[in-house]
Amino acid sequence: MTREVNVSEITEALAEMCIKANHFLSDDMKAALDKAAEKESSSLGRDILSQLQENLDIAGKDMIPICQDTGMAVVFLEIGQDVHLTGGNLEDAVNQGVRKGYTEGYLRKSVVNDPIIRENTGDNTPAVIHEKIVPGDKVRITLAPKGFGSENMSRIFMLKPAQGIEGVKTAILTAVKDAGPNACPPVVVGVGIGGDFEKCALLAKEALTRSTDGHSPLKHIKELEEEMLERINETGIGPGGLGGHTTALAVNINTYPTHIAGLPVAVNICCHVNRHVSLTI
Amino acid sequence: MEYRLNVPFSVDEIRDLKAGDKVFLSGTIYTARDAAHKRMDESLDKDGSLPFDIKGNVIYYMGPSPARPGKVIGSAGPTTASRMDKYTPRLLDLGLLGMIGKGKRSPEVHEAIVRNKAVYFASIGGAGALLSKCIKKSEVIAYDDLGTEAVRKLTVEDFPCIVVTDPEGNTLY
Ligand code: SF4
């Protein structure tokens, strides 16, 4: 049995999600920030974390975006194979939702039409859209507006298999240290290991949409997440890059099988304004 | 140390600032990001003019989100300063004395800061809602077509910053 979903439902949902994501962080992100503020030993670091908490309060209360960089809209669509989409072109509907949300929500328009010519499109479209066909008759939408202060500090490392897990650890640490204050720490580190060149980047971005209070179901990866979080927080970069223990709030690692000759690692860094909301239609 | 400073300021007024000091700025500051810096650079090449008097002034690397009706400005936190590095030494040599942004600067900018006894401040990245409360007036004064990247003249009150690079060249990061 197929189920019909009118793409206008996706437009409306996305418009609201854009506004929500840019004014309210998910509960796990808020909790991670609160926990960090309690534990931070540097007084300047504590000061900054408490201002970030205050910033979140003001954003929600006065409807001012948490950060002025309201991001490029990254949209993940998991479309059930029993869904029949009606009412128009899916990607147009997604972009219409982003256009509506960013315009009606007073969000910043940060997208240029051509990477070389660089004229602002004026409505924050197009979005970056990732579609996946999955079993079932639902459409799951995840929106993750991505700021570019941290996106610019993200890296891909095509390691050799012989470099193994130690190589992966060095890659993650290198990316976070190079990012330093630029990525607006405390950061969330999304890591993709395996696949090929583009797959590992996508894994890393997906990892950023995972909750910060959970872990990979794979034991060795969970241990790697824990170890890397600890080591990143020993770098001393700290909140705002001004010193302290809280450099990262979480390290989320997703993996995929890879080729006998390769070990791709992508490190997608996100700032403390790690925005993501999901909804199922 | 903690200081309150009015902008514009003179070399003498910022001489004692040290990396790590907390400073609250009040007065007039100007916003400019990459696109505006590129235009200012081209304008200097063409006829030596800038859209505002740069002497003793502070540039805030910031592109706000749109203001809701009746509000002064939207979210208004700093952007990454290094993207302006290419254009900054020239502006410092013309009299710019302060910059507000986030992140590391190039060796060329560092040298120009010391040469001109200027200062580079950081404000907190990702605290744009909070920082917007210190902005009392905002007016686009140049390059309106750049949207969020236009040059804005801001009136600020007790805008919180931290000295990252002081006039002697000590650096916090
Ligand atoms: S990196 Fe994040 S917190 Fe920093 S300016 Fe960009 S979106 Fe805002």
Side-chain angles (χ1 to χ4, degrees), chain A residues 23 44 47-48 51-52 54-55 58-59 62-68 70 105-109 149 152 177-178 181-182 184 240-242 272-273, chain B residues 22 33 63-69 74-80 82-83 102-104 124-130 132-133 148 160 162 164 172-173:
Chain A
H23 293 85
L44 181 55
D47 201 30
I48 289 169
Q51 293 188 57
L52 295 182
E54 198 187 338
N55 185 64
I58 294 174
D62 296 352
M63 289 306 279
I64 305 172
I66 305 164
C67 181
Q68 75 290 337
T70 51
Y106 297 91
L107 303 176
R108 198 176 82 179
K109 322 302 183 288
N152 280 339
K177 281 190 194 158
D178 288 353
N182 291 21
C184 293
L242 299 168
H272 56 89
V273 191
Chain B
K22 239 184 181 173
R33 293 173 43 106
S65 65
R68 284 184 178 268
S75 196
T79 195
T80 308
S82 58
R83 293 199 318 273
K102 62 170 168 106
K104 295 176 190 160
I124 304 175
L130 179 70
S132 75
K133 299 283 176 186
T148 183
I162 288 156
V164 172
L172 191 57
Y173 290 138

Short mmCIF file of all heavy atoms in Angstrom, two decimals, chain A residues 23 44 47-48 51-52 54-55 58-59 62-68 70 105-109 149 152 177-178 181-182 184 240-242 272-273, chain B residues 22 33 63-69 74-80 82-83 102-104 124-130 132-133 148 160 162 164 172-173:
data_model
loop_
_atom_site.label_atom_id
_atom_site.label_comp_id
_atom_site.label_asym_id
_atom_site.label_seq_id
_atom_site.Cartn_x
_atom_site.Cartn_y
_atom_site.Cartn_z
N HIS A 23 16.23 29.15 17.30
CA HIS A 23 15.93 29.84 18.56
C HIS A 23 16.01 28.95 19.79
O HIS A 23 16.12 29.44 20.91
CB HIS A 23 14.54 30.49 18.50
CG HIS A 23 14.45 31.62 17.52
ND1 HIS A 23 14.19 31.42 16.19
CD2 HIS A 23 14.62 32.96 17.67
CE1 HIS A 23 14.19 32.60 15.56
NE2 HIS A 23 14.44 33.54 16.44
N LEU A 44 37.39 32.37 33.76
CA LEU A 44 36.98 33.01 32.50
C LEU A 44 36.10 32.04 31.70
O LEU A 44 35.08 32.42 31.11
CB LEU A 44 38.21 33.43 31.69
CG LEU A 44 37.97 34.15 30.37
CD1 LEU A 44 37.10 35.38 30.54
CD2 LEU A 44 39.28 34.52 29.68
N ASP A 47 32.71 31.93 33.17
CA ASP A 47 32.06 33.18 32.80
C ASP A 47 31.44 33.07 31.40
O ASP A 47 30.29 33.44 31.17
CB ASP A 47 33.17 34.25 32.82
CG ASP A 47 32.60 35.63 32.97
OD1 ASP A 47 31.55 35.73 33.60
OD2 ASP A 47 33.21 36.58 32.45
N ILE A 48 32.23 32.57 30.48
CA ILE A 48 31.76 32.47 29.09
C ILE A 48 30.63 31.46 28.98
O ILE A 48 29.61 31.71 28.33
CB ILE A 48 32.94 32.13 28.15
CG1 ILE A 48 33.84 33.37 28.06
CG2 ILE A 48 32.45 31.70 26.77
CD1 ILE A 48 35.14 33.16 27.40
N GLN A 51 27.50 32.94 30.11
CA GLN A 51 26.94 33.86 29.12
C GLN A 51 26.29 33.11 27.96
O GLN A 51 25.31 33.58 27.38
CB GLN A 51 28.02 34.80 28.60
CG GLN A 51 28.50 35.74 29.71
CD GLN A 51 29.43 36.81 29.20
OE1 GLN A 51 29.08 37.57 28.31
NE2 GLN A 51 30.63 36.87 29.74
N LEU A 52 26.82 31.94 27.65
CA LEU A 52 26.18 31.14 26.60
C LEU A 52 24.82 30.63 27.07
O LEU A 52 23.86 30.55 26.29
CB LEU A 52 27.08 29.96 26.19
CG LEU A 52 28.40 30.34 25.53
CD1 LEU A 52 29.17 29.08 25.13
CD2 LEU A 52 28.19 31.23 24.31
N GLU A 54 22.94 32.20 29.28
CA GLU A 54 22.08 33.38 29.27
C GLU A 54 21.63 33.69 27.83
O GLU A 54 20.47 34.05 27.59
CB GLU A 54 22.87 34.56 29.85
CG GLU A 54 22.01 35.71 30.29
CD GLU A 54 22.85 36.93 30.70
OE1 GLU A 54 24.05 36.77 31.04
OE2 GLU A 54 22.31 38.04 30.64
N ASN A 55 22.57 33.54 26.90
CA ASN A 55 22.27 33.78 25.49
C ASN A 55 21.11 32.88 25.02
O ASN A 55 20.21 33.32 24.31
CB ASN A 55 23.53 33.52 24.66
CG ASN A 55 23.34 33.85 23.20
OD1 ASN A 55 23.11 35.00 22.84
ND2 ASN A 55 23.40 32.83 22.35
N ILE A 58 17.80 34.18 26.42
CA ILE A 58 17.34 35.37 25.71
C ILE A 58 16.80 34.98 24.33
O ILE A 58 15.75 35.46 23.90
CB ILE A 58 18.49 36.39 25.57
CG1 ILE A 58 18.89 36.93 26.95
CG2 ILE A 58 18.09 37.54 24.64
CD1 ILE A 58 20.10 37.83 26.92
N ALA A 59 17.51 34.08 23.66
CA ALA A 59 17.10 33.68 22.31
C ALA A 59 15.68 33.15 22.32
O ALA A 59 14.84 33.56 21.50
CB ALA A 59 18.07 32.63 21.76
N ASP A 62 13.07 36.13 23.79
CA ASP A 62 12.84 37.32 22.95
C ASP A 62 12.79 36.99 21.47
O ASP A 62 12.70 37.89 20.63
CB ASP A 62 13.95 38.36 23.20
CG ASP A 62 13.91 38.88 24.62
OD1 ASP A 62 12.95 38.54 25.34
OD2 ASP A 62 14.84 39.62 25.01
N MET A 63 12.89 35.72 21.14
CA MET A 63 12.92 35.29 19.74
C MET A 63 13.98 36.05 18.93
O MET A 63 13.71 36.68 17.91
CB MET A 63 11.54 35.42 19.09
CG MET A 63 10.54 34.38 19.60
SD MET A 63 11.10 32.66 19.48
CE MET A 63 10.75 32.27 17.77
N ILE A 64 15.20 35.99 19.45
CA ILE A 64 16.37 36.49 18.72
C ILE A 64 17.21 35.23 18.42
O ILE A 64 17.45 34.44 19.33
CB ILE A 64 17.22 37.44 19.59
CG1 ILE A 64 16.36 38.59 20.12
CG2 ILE A 64 18.41 37.99 18.81
CD1 ILE A 64 17.08 39.48 21.13
N PRO A 65 17.63 35.01 17.18
CA PRO A 65 18.38 33.78 16.90
C PRO A 65 19.57 33.60 17.86
O PRO A 65 20.22 34.58 18.22
CB PRO A 65 18.85 33.99 15.47
CG PRO A 65 17.83 34.90 14.87
CD PRO A 65 17.40 35.82 15.99
N ILE A 66 19.81 32.35 18.24
CA ILE A 66 20.89 32.03 19.18
C ILE A 66 22.20 32.61 18.67
O ILE A 66 22.99 33.18 19.41
CB ILE A 66 21.04 30.50 19.32
CG1 ILE A 66 19.71 29.88 19.73
CG2 ILE A 66 22.14 30.14 20.32
CD1 ILE A 66 19.66 28.37 19.52
N CYS A 67 22.42 32.47 17.36
CA CYS A 67 23.62 33.05 16.73
C CYS A 67 23.17 33.76 15.46
O CYS A 67 22.22 33.34 14.81
CB CYS A 67 24.61 31.96 16.37
SG CYS A 67 26.09 32.65 15.61
N GLN A 68 23.88 34.85 15.13
CA GLN A 68 23.50 35.58 13.91
C GLN A 68 23.75 34.76 12.66
O GLN A 68 23.10 34.94 11.65
CB GLN A 68 24.25 36.92 13.82
CG GLN A 68 25.71 36.86 13.45
CD GLN A 68 26.57 36.25 14.54
OE1 GLN A 68 26.19 36.26 15.69
NE2 GLN A 68 27.72 35.71 14.16
N THR A 70 22.73 32.03 11.07
CA THR A 70 21.65 31.06 11.17
C THR A 70 21.84 29.92 10.17
O THR A 70 20.96 29.10 9.96
CB THR A 70 20.28 31.76 10.99
OG1 THR A 70 20.32 32.56 9.81
CG2 THR A 70 19.99 32.67 12.18
N GLY A 105 10.90 34.16 9.64
CA GLY A 105 11.51 34.03 10.96
C GLY A 105 12.62 35.04 11.23
O GLY A 105 13.31 34.93 12.23
N TYR A 106 12.82 36.00 10.33
CA TYR A 106 13.88 37.01 10.51
C TYR A 106 15.23 36.34 10.72
O TYR A 106 15.98 36.68 11.63
CB TYR A 106 13.55 37.96 11.66
CG TYR A 106 12.30 38.76 11.40
CD1 TYR A 106 11.06 38.29 11.81
CD2 TYR A 106 12.36 39.95 10.69
CE1 TYR A 106 9.90 39.00 11.53
CE2 TYR A 106 11.21 40.67 10.41
CZ TYR A 106 9.98 40.19 10.83
OH TYR A 106 8.85 40.89 10.54
N LEU A 107 15.52 35.34 9.90
CA LEU A 107 16.80 34.64 10.00
C LEU A 107 17.74 35.19 8.92
O LEU A 107 17.29 35.73 7.91
CB LEU A 107 16.58 33.14 9.80
CG LEU A 107 15.58 32.52 10.79
CD1 LEU A 107 15.35 31.04 10.48
CD2 LEU A 107 16.07 32.68 12.23
N ARG A 108 19.04 35.03 9.17
CA ARG A 108 19.99 35.64 8.24
C ARG A 108 20.07 34.86 6.94
O ARG A 108 20.06 33.64 6.94
CB ARG A 108 21.38 35.72 8.89
CG ARG A 108 22.28 36.72 8.17
CD ARG A 108 23.61 36.84 8.88
NE ARG A 108 24.51 35.76 8.49
CZ ARG A 108 25.75 35.65 8.94
NH1 ARG A 108 26.23 36.54 9.81
NH2 ARG A 108 26.51 34.67 8.56
N LYS A 109 20.19 35.61 5.85
CA LYS A 109 20.31 34.98 4.54
C LYS A 109 21.80 34.92 4.21
O LYS A 109 22.43 35.93 3.91
CB LYS A 109 19.58 35.81 3.47
CG LYS A 109 18.24 36.44 3.92
CD LYS A 109 17.21 35.45 4.42
CE LYS A 109 15.89 36.12 4.79
NZ LYS A 109 15.91 36.93 6.02
N GLY A 149 31.55 29.23 10.63
CA GLY A 149 32.77 29.42 11.42
C GLY A 149 33.36 28.06 11.74
O GLY A 149 34.57 27.83 11.63
N ASN A 152 34.06 25.74 8.31
CA ASN A 152 35.34 26.04 7.66
C ASN A 152 36.52 25.32 8.30
O ASN A 152 37.58 25.21 7.70
CB ASN A 152 35.61 27.55 7.71
CG ASN A 152 34.84 28.30 6.64
OD1 ASN A 152 34.43 27.71 5.65
ND2 ASN A 152 34.64 29.59 6.84
N LYS A 177 42.42 20.94 17.20
CA LYS A 177 43.45 21.92 17.60
C LYS A 177 43.60 23.01 16.55
O LYS A 177 43.72 24.20 16.89
CB LYS A 177 44.80 21.22 17.80
CG LYS A 177 44.90 20.50 19.13
CD LYS A 177 46.33 20.04 19.33
CE LYS A 177 46.43 19.04 20.46
NZ LYS A 177 47.65 18.22 20.35
N ASP A 178 43.59 22.63 15.28
CA ASP A 178 43.70 23.65 14.23
C ASP A 178 42.50 24.59 14.25
O ASP A 178 42.61 25.77 13.92
CB ASP A 178 43.81 22.99 12.84
CG ASP A 178 45.17 22.34 12.63
OD1 ASP A 178 46.06 22.52 13.50
OD2 ASP A 178 45.36 21.64 11.61
N PRO A 181 40.11 28.58 18.43
CA PRO A 181 39.02 29.50 18.78
C PRO A 181 38.06 29.77 17.62
O PRO A 181 36.96 30.25 17.84
CB PRO A 181 39.76 30.79 19.15
CG PRO A 181 41.06 30.71 18.44
CD PRO A 181 41.41 29.26 18.34
N ASN A 182 38.47 29.46 16.39
CA ASN A 182 37.65 29.84 15.23
C ASN A 182 36.28 29.17 15.19
O ASN A 182 35.34 29.72 14.64
CB ASN A 182 38.38 29.49 13.93
CG ASN A 182 39.60 30.36 13.69
OD1 ASN A 182 40.13 30.95 14.62
ND2 ASN A 182 40.04 30.45 12.46
N CYS A 184 34.22 28.51 17.51
CA CYS A 184 33.34 28.83 18.63
C CYS A 184 33.19 27.68 19.62
O CYS A 184 32.09 27.14 19.82
CB CYS A 184 31.97 29.28 18.15
SG CYS A 184 32.01 30.84 17.29
N GLY A 240 35.20 29.60 24.08
CA GLY A 240 35.61 30.78 23.33
C GLY A 240 37.08 30.73 22.90
O GLY A 240 37.60 31.69 22.37
N GLY A 241 37.75 29.60 23.17
CA GLY A 241 39.17 29.50 22.84
C GLY A 241 40.03 30.28 23.80
O GLY A 241 41.21 30.53 23.56
N LEU A 242 39.44 30.67 24.93
CA LEU A 242 40.16 31.55 25.87
C LEU A 242 40.69 30.77 27.08
O LEU A 242 41.01 31.36 28.11
CB LEU A 242 39.24 32.69 26.32
CG LEU A 242 38.78 33.58 25.15
CD1 LEU A 242 37.65 34.50 25.58
CD2 LEU A 242 39.93 34.40 24.59
N HIS A 272 29.04 25.28 19.60
CA HIS A 272 28.07 24.96 20.66
C HIS A 272 26.64 25.23 20.21
O HIS A 272 25.70 24.79 20.86
CB HIS A 272 28.40 25.74 21.94
CG HIS A 272 28.46 27.22 21.72
ND1 HIS A 272 27.36 28.02 21.83
CD2 HIS A 272 29.48 28.03 21.35
CE1 HIS A 272 27.70 29.27 21.54
NE2 HIS A 272 28.99 29.30 21.25
N VAL A 273 26.49 25.98 19.10
CA VAL A 273 25.13 26.18 18.56
C VAL A 273 24.88 25.05 17.54
O VAL A 273 24.80 25.27 16.34
CB VAL A 273 24.98 27.57 17.91
CG1 VAL A 273 23.52 27.87 17.61
CG2 VAL A 273 25.53 28.65 18.83
N LYS B 22 39.37 42.42 30.38
CA LYS B 22 37.97 42.54 29.97
C LYS B 22 37.69 44.00 29.71
O LYS B 22 38.06 44.85 30.51
CB LYS B 22 37.11 42.11 31.16
CG LYS B 22 36.20 40.97 30.87
CD LYS B 22 35.37 40.75 32.11
CE LYS B 22 34.44 39.60 31.93
NZ LYS B 22 33.77 39.29 33.17
N ARG B 33 32.29 42.85 7.12
CA ARG B 33 32.76 41.47 6.93
C ARG B 33 33.57 41.39 5.65
O ARG B 33 33.94 42.41 5.09
CB ARG B 33 31.56 40.52 6.87
CG ARG B 33 30.77 40.37 8.15
CD ARG B 33 29.52 39.54 7.87
NE ARG B 33 29.82 38.39 7.02
CZ ARG B 33 29.88 37.13 7.45
NH1 ARG B 33 29.62 36.85 8.70
NH2 ARG B 33 30.17 36.15 6.62
N GLY B 63 27.90 40.28 10.86
CA GLY B 63 26.75 40.44 9.95
C GLY B 63 25.51 39.96 10.69
O GLY B 63 25.36 38.77 10.95
N PRO B 64 24.62 40.88 11.08
CA PRO B 64 23.52 40.50 11.96
C PRO B 64 22.43 39.72 11.23
O PRO B 64 22.34 39.75 10.01
CB PRO B 64 22.96 41.86 12.39
CG PRO B 64 23.25 42.77 11.23
CD PRO B 64 24.57 42.29 10.66
N SER B 65 21.57 39.08 12.01
CA SER B 65 20.33 38.56 11.43
C SER B 65 19.35 39.74 11.41
O SER B 65 19.55 40.72 12.13
CB SER B 65 19.79 37.39 12.27
OG SER B 65 19.43 37.80 13.56
N PRO B 66 18.32 39.70 10.55
CA PRO B 66 17.43 40.86 10.40
C PRO B 66 16.72 41.20 11.71
O PRO B 66 16.40 40.31 12.49
CB PRO B 66 16.41 40.39 9.36
CG PRO B 66 17.01 39.21 8.69
CD PRO B 66 17.93 38.58 9.67
N ALA B 67 16.48 42.49 11.90
CA ALA B 67 15.75 42.95 13.09
C ALA B 67 14.28 42.61 12.94
O ALA B 67 13.71 42.73 11.86
CB ALA B 67 15.93 44.45 13.25
N ARG B 68 13.65 42.16 14.03
CA ARG B 68 12.19 42.04 14.02
C ARG B 68 11.61 43.44 14.06
O ARG B 68 12.28 44.38 14.52
CB ARG B 68 11.73 41.24 15.24
CG ARG B 68 11.97 39.77 15.10
CD ARG B 68 11.43 38.96 16.26
NE ARG B 68 11.67 37.56 15.98
CZ ARG B 68 10.79 36.76 15.37
NH1 ARG B 68 9.61 37.21 15.03
NH2 ARG B 68 11.10 35.51 15.11
N PRO B 69 10.36 43.62 13.62
CA PRO B 69 9.78 44.97 13.62
C PRO B 69 9.88 45.61 15.01
O PRO B 69 9.62 44.95 16.02
CB PRO B 69 8.31 44.71 13.25
CG PRO B 69 8.31 43.39 12.56
CD PRO B 69 9.44 42.61 13.13
N GLY B 74 18.96 42.24 14.90
CA GLY B 74 18.71 40.84 15.26
C GLY B 74 19.86 40.31 16.09
O GLY B 74 20.46 41.04 16.90
N SER B 75 20.19 39.06 15.90
CA SER B 75 21.32 38.45 16.60
C SER B 75 22.61 39.07 16.06
O SER B 75 22.70 39.36 14.87
CB SER B 75 21.28 36.94 16.36
OG SER B 75 22.09 36.27 17.28
N ALA B 76 23.60 39.29 16.92
CA ALA B 76 24.72 40.13 16.47
C ALA B 76 26.06 39.77 17.12
O ALA B 76 26.69 40.59 17.78
CB ALA B 76 24.39 41.60 16.73
N GLY B 77 26.50 38.54 16.93
CA GLY B 77 27.79 38.10 17.47
C GLY B 77 28.89 38.17 16.42
O GLY B 77 28.63 38.41 15.24
N PRO B 78 30.14 37.92 16.84
CA PRO B 78 31.30 38.09 15.96
C PRO B 78 31.46 36.98 14.94
O PRO B 78 31.03 35.85 15.18
CB PRO B 78 32.47 38.03 16.95
CG PRO B 78 31.98 37.07 18.01
CD PRO B 78 30.51 37.40 18.17
N THR B 79 32.09 37.30 13.83
CA THR B 79 32.47 36.26 12.88
C THR B 79 33.99 36.07 12.92
O THR B 79 34.71 36.83 13.58
CB THR B 79 31.97 36.61 11.45
OG1 THR B 79 32.06 35.44 10.64
CG2 THR B 79 32.77 37.74 10.82
N THR B 80 34.47 35.05 12.24
CA THR B 80 35.90 34.69 12.27
C THR B 80 36.74 35.78 11.63
O THR B 80 36.56 36.13 10.46
CB THR B 80 36.12 33.35 11.54
OG1 THR B 80 35.20 32.40 12.08
CG2 THR B 80 37.53 32.85 11.72
N SER B 82 39.95 35.96 10.79
CA SER B 82 41.05 35.68 9.84
C SER B 82 40.64 35.91 8.38
O SER B 82 41.48 36.12 7.53
CB SER B 82 41.56 34.25 10.04
OG SER B 82 40.51 33.34 9.85
N ARG B 83 39.34 35.87 8.12
CA ARG B 83 38.91 36.11 6.74
C ARG B 83 39.14 37.56 6.32
O ARG B 83 39.13 37.88 5.13
CB ARG B 83 37.43 35.73 6.57
CG ARG B 83 37.16 34.23 6.73
CD ARG B 83 35.83 33.84 6.09
NE ARG B 83 34.83 34.83 6.40
CZ ARG B 83 34.08 34.82 7.52
NH1 ARG B 83 34.22 33.86 8.40
NH2 ARG B 83 33.20 35.77 7.73
N LYS B 102 36.52 37.00 16.28
CA LYS B 102 36.90 35.80 17.01
C LYS B 102 37.95 35.06 16.21
O LYS B 102 37.96 35.13 14.98
CB LYS B 102 35.68 34.90 17.27
CG LYS B 102 35.02 34.39 16.00
CD LYS B 102 33.98 33.33 16.27
CE LYS B 102 33.13 33.02 15.06
NZ LYS B 102 33.41 31.76 14.40
N GLY B 103 38.84 34.38 16.91
CA GLY B 103 39.82 33.54 16.25
C GLY B 103 41.15 34.22 16.00
O GLY B 103 41.33 35.41 16.22
N LYS B 104 42.08 33.38 15.51
CA LYS B 104 43.47 33.81 15.34
C LYS B 104 43.64 34.74 14.15
O LYS B 104 42.88 34.69 13.20
CB LYS B 104 44.35 32.58 15.13
CG LYS B 104 44.39 31.69 16.35
CD LYS B 104 45.20 30.42 16.06
CE LYS B 104 45.03 29.44 17.19
NZ LYS B 104 45.37 28.08 16.83
N ILE B 124 32.20 37.00 22.35
CA ILE B 124 31.91 35.57 22.42
C ILE B 124 31.16 35.08 21.20
O ILE B 124 30.04 35.51 20.94
CB ILE B 124 31.10 35.22 23.68
CG1 ILE B 124 31.85 35.71 24.92
CG2 ILE B 124 30.86 33.72 23.77
CD1 ILE B 124 31.07 35.52 26.19
N GLY B 125 31.78 34.16 20.46
CA GLY B 125 31.15 33.58 19.29
C GLY B 125 29.94 32.76 19.69
O GLY B 125 30.03 31.94 20.60
N GLY B 126 28.84 32.99 19.03
CA GLY B 126 27.64 32.22 19.34
C GLY B 126 26.84 32.78 20.49
O GLY B 126 26.01 32.09 21.06
N ALA B 127 27.09 34.04 20.85
CA ALA B 127 26.29 34.68 21.89
C ALA B 127 25.60 35.91 21.30
O ALA B 127 25.46 36.95 21.94
CB ALA B 127 27.15 35.04 23.09
N GLY B 128 25.14 35.79 20.07
CA GLY B 128 24.59 36.92 19.32
C GLY B 128 23.33 37.52 19.91
O GLY B 128 23.08 38.72 19.77
N ALA B 129 22.51 36.69 20.57
CA ALA B 129 21.29 37.22 21.16
C ALA B 129 21.65 38.12 22.35
O ALA B 129 21.16 39.23 22.49
CB ALA B 129 20.37 36.08 21.60
N LEU B 130 22.55 37.61 23.18
CA LEU B 130 23.01 38.36 24.35
C LEU B 130 23.70 39.66 23.93
O LEU B 130 23.42 40.75 24.46
CB LEU B 130 23.98 37.47 25.15
CG LEU B 130 24.61 38.04 26.40
CD1 LEU B 130 23.55 38.19 27.49
CD2 LEU B 130 25.73 37.12 26.91
N SER B 132 23.39 41.37 21.28
CA SER B 132 22.50 42.33 20.61
C SER B 132 21.90 43.31 21.60
O SER B 132 21.51 44.42 21.24
CB SER B 132 21.40 41.60 19.85
OG SER B 132 20.42 41.08 20.74
N LYS B 133 21.83 42.90 22.86
CA LYS B 133 21.23 43.77 23.89
C LYS B 133 22.09 45.01 24.15
O LYS B 133 21.62 45.98 24.72
CB LYS B 133 21.06 43.00 25.20
CG LYS B 133 20.13 41.81 25.08
CD LYS B 133 18.68 42.26 25.05
CE LYS B 133 17.75 41.09 24.82
NZ LYS B 133 16.36 41.47 24.64
N THR B 148 23.22 41.50 4.76
CA THR B 148 23.81 41.39 6.10
C THR B 148 25.26 41.86 6.13
O THR B 148 25.79 42.24 7.17
CB THR B 148 23.69 39.94 6.62
OG1 THR B 148 24.20 39.87 7.96
CG2 THR B 148 24.48 38.96 5.76
N PRO B 160 30.64 43.89 25.75
CA PRO B 160 31.72 43.15 26.40
C PRO B 160 32.70 42.49 25.42
O PRO B 160 32.29 41.82 24.49
CB PRO B 160 30.96 42.07 27.19
CG PRO B 160 29.71 41.85 26.41
CD PRO B 160 29.37 43.15 25.71
N ILE B 162 37.05 40.87 25.14
CA ILE B 162 38.27 40.47 25.83
C ILE B 162 39.44 40.82 24.92
O ILE B 162 39.37 40.60 23.70
CB ILE B 162 38.22 38.97 26.15
CG1 ILE B 162 37.21 38.75 27.28
CG2 ILE B 162 39.58 38.43 26.55
CD1 ILE B 162 36.62 37.41 27.34
N VAL B 164 42.48 40.22 22.98
CA VAL B 164 43.22 39.05 22.51
C VAL B 164 44.65 39.44 22.17
O VAL B 164 45.61 38.82 22.61
CB VAL B 164 42.53 38.41 21.28
CG1 VAL B 164 43.41 37.32 20.69
CG2 VAL B 164 41.18 37.84 21.67
N LEU B 172 46.50 36.26 23.49
CA LEU B 172 45.88 35.36 24.45
C LEU B 172 45.76 33.92 23.96
O LEU B 172 45.96 32.99 24.72
CB LEU B 172 44.48 35.92 24.76
CG LEU B 172 43.72 35.30 25.92
CD1 LEU B 172 44.52 35.41 27.21
CD2 LEU B 172 42.39 36.01 26.10
N TYR B 173 45.43 33.72 22.69
CA TYR B 173 45.14 32.36 22.23
C TYR B 173 46.38 31.47 22.30
O TYR B 173 47.44 31.86 21.90
CB TYR B 173 44.65 32.37 20.79
CG TYR B 173 43.28 32.98 20.60
CD1 TYR B 173 43.04 33.82 19.52
CD2 TYR B 173 42.22 32.69 21.45
CE1 TYR B 173 41.79 34.38 19.30
CE2 TYR B 173 40.95 33.25 21.23
CZ TYR B 173 40.75 34.08 20.17
OH TYR B 173 39.53 34.62 19.95
#
